[in-house]
Amino acid sequence: KQEVTQIPAALSVPEGENLVLNCSFTDSAIYNLQWFRQDPGKGLTSLLLIQSSQREQTSGRLNASLDKSSGRSTLYIAASQPGDSATYLCAVSLLSGGYNKLIFGAGTRLAVHP
Amino acid sequence: KAGVTQTPRYLIKTRGQQVTLSCSPISGHRSVSWYQQTPGQGLQFLFEYFSETQRNKGNFPGRFSGRQFSNSRSEMNVSTLELGDSALYLCASSGDRGYEQYFGPGTRLTVT
């Protein structure tokens, strides 16, 4: 059974810091991995999608890497800003799970203070 | 391009009642998936519809059902509501299998 774990559960940093959020999964037979952010009480905003054949994706100050063999992904946020404060979720879809069934981690709650 | 829309945004129901939630996907997307988010269980997959057919299903009781219409809009129905059904219900749309999924703002259901 696929399990997705995110470390740390919560993180508080001063503005301007570079930070790394971690995601691990137990079954390496994934189809893709997606990072989302969620603001309190709101829906999910897609940040980056990494296909299983890819090693990383970049969008602006965000960079996500994928190491399928070790079951790990990291989300790197450069020069953090207070507007980055949110919960960050990673999710994987499985080759055997119909591709669109996402299995989520519990998230990392990030607070960036001025 | 308009995003995923969900109606209603908030609902309060009583135990034993039933409820129907609606989701309109991004134009051109044919896959719609539903998720339940609770503080205790996190985000859990309910089911996925593609071209009016249920393509995948999570581990939820039969009280949870859904359907998809020819215009790809989807509805989710929960019958005989229980207190534990209180949650944020999210739908997501994508172009096809394995494509990036885009989520709506969710429907907050409170069961009293």
Side-chain angles (χ1 to χ4, degrees):
Chain A
K1 179 190 170 190
Q2 176 72 275
E3 291 184 1
V4 180
T5 304
Q6 291 188 247
I7 294 173
L11 187 60
S12 180
V13 300
E15 182 177 6
E17 275 205 6
N18 301 324
L19 45 100
V20 175
L21 308 182
N22 296 291
C23 173
S24 62
F25 45 94
T26 53
D27 185 344
S28 63
I30 65 168
Y31 189 75
N32 62 36
L33 183 145
Q34 201 165 348
W35 282 94
F36 298 90
R37 73 172 272 170
Q38 185 175 32
D39 294 286
K42 301 291 177 65
L44 276 61
T45 300
S46 177
L47 297 173
L48 291 164
L49 170 74
I50 311 177
Q51 301 287 357
S52 61
S53 58
Q54 298 174 320
R55 297 284 293 185
E56 66 177 340
Q57 283 285 344
T58 298
S59 176
R61 294 182 295 109
L62 304 179
N63 175 275
S65 67
L66 174 64
D67 184 343
K68 205 172 63 164
S69 61
S70 68
R72 293 180 185 175
S73 175
T74 59
L75 178 67
Y76 176 82
I77 303 177
S80 58
Q81 304 170 356
D84 294 330
S85 298
T87 296
Y88 289 81
L89 296 148
C90 78
V92 299
S93 66
L94 300 178
L95 291 171
S96 62
Y99 301 105
N100 276 356
K101 175 183 175 181
L102 293 177
I103 300 169
F104 283 86
T108 293
R109 189 164 54 249
L110 172 65
V112 181
H113 49 87
Chain B
K1 205 179 228 189
V4 179
T5 58
Q6 291 187 245
T7 56
R9 294 293 311 280
Y10 303 92
L11 265 179
I12 299 175
K13 290 286 187 179
T14 304
R15 267 184 305 175
Q17 289 186 317
Q18 76 164 17
V19 67
T20 299
L21 312 181
S22 180
C23 172
S24 292
I26 291 171
S27 178
H29 284 187
R30 293 192 294 167
S31 168
V32 174
S33 299
W34 288 89
Y35 293 82
Q36 181 195 65
Q37 186 176 31
T38 59
Q41 299 297 318
L43 272 153
Q44 294 184 285
F45 173 82
L46 281 155
F47 30 64
E48 180 205 5
Y49 284 86
F50 182 85
S51 292
E52 302 180 64
T53 301
Q54 187 180 85
R55 192 159 68 172
N56 209 342
K57 190 177 185 305
N59 296 322
F60 279 81
R63 300 185 297 106
F64 292 82
S65 63
R67 60 177 175 168
Q68 187 180 34
F69 302 94
S70 58
N71 61 358
S72 292
R73 188 177 71 85
S74 177
E75 287 182 347
M76 190 191 95
N77 184 274
V78 188
S79 63
T80 320
L81 283 165
E82 300 176 0
L83 294 179
D85 297 333
S86 294
L88 181 65
Y89 290 88
L90 295 161
C91 81
S93 78
S94 71
D96 204 335
R97 292 173 190 259
Y99 282 37
E100 191 166 359
Q101 295 198 40
Y102 296 90
F103 281 75
T107 294
R108 171 75 62 185
L109 171 65
T110 302
V111 182
T112 62

